[in-house]
């Protein structure tokens, strides 16, 4: 029986502006607001010209959080009604963000829709998100997300095939005949791991990694998937293929609420991993976020590797990864708030460094132009040019490749790095769910203050430390490919010794504003002071200049990383 394609009237919502990480809202917003989900999905499809989407392939995956399966059911019905010819969906609707990027590129799809809110809380009272990636496999560029937003503000109707039901539990192809369509609409339910695992096999030396993890002189590792989608990948790739004992992988069963904790791989939330690393039983530890694109690296006794240091160490040891022995290294990049540790490696190796706004799409543009091989952000994100997304498991395998080559511990590798380049002390303070008006007013006044010519050369004294302002601005980025300028990307105060304070309004939360303060300071002499102790004078200056506590009513940050 041919399935009917119907059109229903709807009314627009004013708040469907997708950020770099898509549209994220509380679950109840999608559940309680009539057609809220339908409107946004229709706006995504309408942003693609009809000839381009007619009969095209689209990839769909999610992190397994609450509301994923409901959303996929609607998405499938609307894809069919909007002319998409084939959907490739991960088994049970699950596929990591890096794997979605991989599959888009492998099958030359027009793009993919990822159902995730990344490291945000899950469950009925948590967050839900929808993100559109384009044919490159990377997050949609700003002109695309702006078009989606503009369409969402004027939407009057959506198309859907309400009688279409897809079976997400059975691998293989399902075909559906639609009225007035010459070709059947097909849905292919695929193993979410295999294509991505095959890509990794072509990047890393799996034989060497297997020897490191399960050979005679193997190291002991601990991996925490935090009940996100990456549990599927850890079990298949690290345990079954590379020989890690099954009990070395914890929290690998994806849960709709991630076990009641945000799937955020940092010292505050990855407590199962942190606690298990303390006694020295494990040589290496890693935790992953909900959709698998971020990871935290720990050494023996819980020795913490900052994300900024992590990408710098990988850069300095990049030829431990066979892929780069074949391709060479085209460039390094970091987001502006990330510490300048990577800059020192780039300078020493004479490899070009790009400083971009926060958001992986800026890295993707450089990769597409053949200008970038390795990049990272301070938000536990590292990746290479094998896909167009950050990649948590790739970063872990990169570290294990370095350990396999150098036969040193995580701590010794990092200390050697500090001896060679000096140490960047780095921290980030997050003030979450701040009143949006108060946050914007504070940032506007702060920009006026630091833009005044008299601000440069000002001195700030805290205890025995004196810092003189050398430069202050609102960071803007000129794309080296098309010369487009991206403005208002964060307020920077750079001192004469290279120390930096950065203020940004974050965009990955589901409600309110997140004010972020980043502090970065380089020490040439190798010191082993605690990060918060070393950066306390700069933190005092950052709060004094911004008057953040007074302006927001917050006495302290929600999160320190």
């Amino acid at each position: 029986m041919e399935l009917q394609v119907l059109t229903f009237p709807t009314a627009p919502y004013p708040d469907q502006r997708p950020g770099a990480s898509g549209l994220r809202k509380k679950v109840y917003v999608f559940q309680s607001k009539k057609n809220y989900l339908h409107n946004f999905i229709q706006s995504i499809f309408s942003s693609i010209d009809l000839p381009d989407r007619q009969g095209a392939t689209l990839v769909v995956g999610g992190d397994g959080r609450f509301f994923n399966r409901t959303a996929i059911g609607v998405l499938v019905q609307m894809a069919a009604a909007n002319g998409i010819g084939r959907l490739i969906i991960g088994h049970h609707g699950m596929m990591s963000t890096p794997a979605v990027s991989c599959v888009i590129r492998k099958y030359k799809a027009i793009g993919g829709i990822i159902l995730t809110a990344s490291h945000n809380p899950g469950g009925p009272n948590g967050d839900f998100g929808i993100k559109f990636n384009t044919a490159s496999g990377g997050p949609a560029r700003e002109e695309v997300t702006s078009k989606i937003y503009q369409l969402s503000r004027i939407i009057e109707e959506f198309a859907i095939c309400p009688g279409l039901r897809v079976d997400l539990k059975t691998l293989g192809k399902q075909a559906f005949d639609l009225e007035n369509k010459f070709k059947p609409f097909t849905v292919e339910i695929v193993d979410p791991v295999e294509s991505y695992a095959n890509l990794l096999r072509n990047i890393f030396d799996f034989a060497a990694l297997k020897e490191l993890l399960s050979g005679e002189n193997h190291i002991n590792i601990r991996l925490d998937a935090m009940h996100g989608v990456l549990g599927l990948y850890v079990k298949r790739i690290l345990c079954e293929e590379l020989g890690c004992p099954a009990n070395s992988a914890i929290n690998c069963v994806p849960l709709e609420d991630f076990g009641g904790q945000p799937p955020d791989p940092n010292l505050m939330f990855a407590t199962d991993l942190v606690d298990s690393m303390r006694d020295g039983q494990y040589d290496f530890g890693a935790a992953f976020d909900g959709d698998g694109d971020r990871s935290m690296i720990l050494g023996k006794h819980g020795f913490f590797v900052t994300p900024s240091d992590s990408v710098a160490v990988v850069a300095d040891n990049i030829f431990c990864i066979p892929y780069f022995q074949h391709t060479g290294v085209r460039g390094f990049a970091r987001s502006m708030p990330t510490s300048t540790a990577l800059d020192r490696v780039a300078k020493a190796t004479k490899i070009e460094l790009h400083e971009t706004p926060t958001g992986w799409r800026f890295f993707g543009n450089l990769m597409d132009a053949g200008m970038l091989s390795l990049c990272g952000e301070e938000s536990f994100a590292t990746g290479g040019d094998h896909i167009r997304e950050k990649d948590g498991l790739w970063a872990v395998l990169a570290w294990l490749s370095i350990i396999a080559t150098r036969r040193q511990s995580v701590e010794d590798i990092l200390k050697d790095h500090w001896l060679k380049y000096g140490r960047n002390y780095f921290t980030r303070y997050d003030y979450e769910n701040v009143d949006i008006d108060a946050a914007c007013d504070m940032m506007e006044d702060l920009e006026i203050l630091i833009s005044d010519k008299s601000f440069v050369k000002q001195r700030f004294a805290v205890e025995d430390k004196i810092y003189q302002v050398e430069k202050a601005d609102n960071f803007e980025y000129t794309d080296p490919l098309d010369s487009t300028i991206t403005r208002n990307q964060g307020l920077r105060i750079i001192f004469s010794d290279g120390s930096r304070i950065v203020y940004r309004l974050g965009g990955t939360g589901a409600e309110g504003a997140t004010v972020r303060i980043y502090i970065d300071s380089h020490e040439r002499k190798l010191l082993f002071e605690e990060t918060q102790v070393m950066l306390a004078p700069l933190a005092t200056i950052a709060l004094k200049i911004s008057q953040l506590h007074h302006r927001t009513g917050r006495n302290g940050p929600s999160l320190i990383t």
Side-chain angles (χ1 to χ4, degrees):
M1 191 176 82
E2 290 187 341
L3 297 168
Q4 273 192 313
V5 175
L6 302 176
T7 301
F8 291 99
T10 191
Y13 291 95
D15 63 344
Q16 292 194 330
R17 181 191 291 274
S21 301
L23 179 72
R24 290 185 187 173
K25 300 288 179 184
K26 289 292 182 187
V27 169
Y28 68 76
V29 174
F30 289 95
Q31 289 179 317
S32 63
K33 291 191 173 184
K34 186 179 180 183
N35 299 331
Y36 194 87
L37 175 68
H38 300 69
N39 280 19
F40 190 70
I41 293 172
Q42 183 63 58
S43 299
I44 291 174
F45 288 134
S46 298
S47 74
I48 307 167
D49 292 338
L50 184 59
D52 292 334
R53 70 175 188 259
Q54 204 73 41
T57 297
L58 189 76
V59 181
V60 178
D63 61 11
R65 68 178 55 234
F66 183 82
F67 199 63
N68 256 24
R69 282 173 293 179
T70 301
I72 288 175
V74 172
L75 200 161
V76 171
Q77 294 174 345
M78 294 186 67
N82 278 276
I84 299 295
R86 175 172 71 151
L87 289 182
I88 298 173
I89 306 178
H91 197 205
H92 298 288
M94 289 191 278
M95 191 183 294
S96 74
T97 291
V100 170
S101 182
C102 165
V103 173
I104 290 171
R105 294 167 67 82
K106 177 180 177 179
Y107 289 97
K108 296 181 170 52
I110 57 162
I113 294 179
I114 309 173
L115 305 167
T116 179
S118 189
H119 53 285
N120 290 18
N125 299 315
D127 300 344
F128 186 74
I130 308 175
K131 176 182 170 186
F132 178 56
N133 282 25
T134 55
S136 71
R141 294 181 64 160
E142 192 167 6
E143 57 264 32
V144 177
T145 58
S146 294
K147 185 177 181 182
I148 292 169
Y149 175 55
Q150 293 305 325
L151 288 165
S152 78
R153 297 183 66 184
I154 59 171
I155 189 171
E156 294 180 345
E157 61 184 22
F158 62 86
I160 192 167
C161 185
L164 197 159
R165 297 283 184 272
V166 69
D167 175 11
L168 296 175
K169 297 176 183 177
T170 305
L171 292 169
K173 290 183 180 178
Q174 302 168 41
F176 303 89
D177 292 319
L178 310 182
E179 63 178 5
N180 302 322
K181 303 282 183 184
F182 296 112
K183 288 184 179 179
F185 169 70
T186 62
V187 176
E188 191 172 345
I189 307 300
V190 299
D191 177 342
V193 179
E194 188 50 41
S195 291
Y196 172 73
N198 197 47
L199 179 63
L200 294 182
R201 290 182 196 111
N202 291 317
I203 294 171
F204 299 101
D205 183 344
F206 268 37
L209 292 174
K210 186 167 186 175
E211 181 64 25
L212 176 74
L213 299 173
S214 57
E216 189 177 346
N217 297 310
H218 68 85
I219 64 170
N220 295 316
I221 73 171
R222 190 75 157 170
L223 302 166
D224 186 353
M226 300 190 78
H227 291 299
V229 70
L230 216 72
L232 307 175
Y233 298 77
V234 168
K235 284 289 190 187
R236 282 271 296 279
I237 298 170
L238 271 299
C239 297
E240 293 176 21
E241 186 159 355
L242 296 179
C244 287
N247 62 6
S248 65
I250 59 173
N251 301 324
C252 284
V253 177
L255 298 176
E256 290 189 335
D257 66 349
F258 306 107
Q261 281 272 38
D264 198 349
N266 58 47
L267 295 173
M268 178 178 285
F269 292 119
T271 51
D272 286 352
L273 175 69
V274 172
D275 291 345
S276 67
M277 293 293 294
R278 282 201 181 102
D279 66 4
Q281 180 184 352
Y282 300 102
D283 303 294
F284 178 93
F288 304 93
D289 72 343
D291 63 324
D293 62 357
R294 303 169 196 251
S295 56
M296 174 178 70
I297 307 295
L298 299 179
K300 201 164 191 165
H301 300 292
F303 181 85
F304 174 62
V305 181
T306 71
S308 300
D309 275 341
S310 182
V311 68
V313 168
V314 174
D316 198 41
N317 295 275
I318 198 160
F319 294 115
C320 294
I321 302 168
Y323 173 85
F324 294 112
Q325 296 170 16
H326 299 301
T327 66
V329 181
R330 302 180 181 94
F332 296 140
R334 63 168 175 83
S335 62
M336 181 274 286
T338 302
S339 96
T340 56
L342 182 61
D343 305 40
R344 299 173 208 288
V345 178
K347 185 178 180 181
T349 54
K350 296 183 171 54
I351 293 171
E352 187 173 5
L353 177 100
H354 303 274
E355 183 181 33
T356 72
T358 296
W360 212 257
R361 65 176 184 266
F362 296 102
F363 296 146
N365 295 345
L366 294 169
M367 289 175 184
D368 289 342
M371 298 171 67
L372 179 60
S373 297
L374 173 72
C375 51
E377 294 183 332
E378 47 69 38
S379 56
F380 296 88
T382 306
D385 61 354
H386 60 297
I387 55 171
R388 295 298 180 266
E389 279 284 5
K390 44 192 175 281
D391 191 340
L393 186 52
W394 181 95
V396 166
L397 294 180
W399 263 93
L400 291 173
S401 299
I402 294 167
I403 294 168
T405 302
R406 293 182 52 165
R407 279 292 166 179
Q408 287 179 286
S409 69
V410 171
E411 185 170 351
D412 285 345
I413 289 169
L414 198 55
K415 285 180 177 177
D416 279 357
H417 186 87
W418 292 338
L419 279 169
K420 186 176 179 182
Y421 293 105
R423 179 177 178 182
N424 277 77
Y425 286 89
F426 179 86
T427 192
R428 186 182 93 191
Y429 299 109
D430 287 11
Y431 294 79
E432 297 172 330
N433 297 327
V434 173
D435 178 80
I436 292 175
D437 291 336
C440 291
D441 288 347
M442 184 199 80
M443 292 293 284
E444 285 174 15
D445 290 346
L446 185 54
E447 183 172 6
I448 292 168
L449 174 69
I450 70 168
S451 300
D452 193 294
K453 288 181 180 178
S454 65
F455 187 74
V456 176
K457 302 299 182 189
Q458 268 195 41
R459 293 184 169 200
F460 295 88
V462 179
E463 298 169 359
D464 61 340
K465 295 260 191 179
I466 297 175
Y467 297 89
Q468 184 171 12
V469 178
E470 188 170 279
K471 181 180 179 180
D473 64 8
N474 191 337
F475 179 67
E476 61 180 46
Y477 174 69
T478 302
D479 192 298
L481 305 175
D482 57 17
S483 299
T484 55
I485 300 173
T486 306
R487 295 185 168 88
N488 302 315
Q489 293 301 303
L491 304 179
R492 298 188 298 177
I493 301 171
I494 303 171
F495 297 97
S496 56
D497 69 345
S499 298
R500 301 184 309 151
I501 296 171
V502 176
Y503 304 88
R504 283 186 68 248
L505 287 183
T508 60
E511 57 185 2
T514 299
V515 180
R516 293 195 170 107
I517 301 177
Y518 310 80
I519 301 172
D520 177 26
S521 181
H522 179 255
E523 294 287 342
R524 182 65 254 187
K525 225 176 1 176
L526 184 55
L527 302 172
F528 295 104
E529 293 287 348
E530 286 290 327
T531 296
Q532 298 305 322
V533 172
M534 288 295 292
L535 297 179
L538 283 165
T540 300
I541 294 168
L543 293 172
K544 180 181 178 182
I545 292 172
S546 64
Q547 299 179 33
L548 186 145
H549 290 171
H550 170 69
R551 299 294 298 267
T552 66
R554 296 295 180 82
N555 293 323
S558 324
L559 181 65
I560 299 174
T561 53

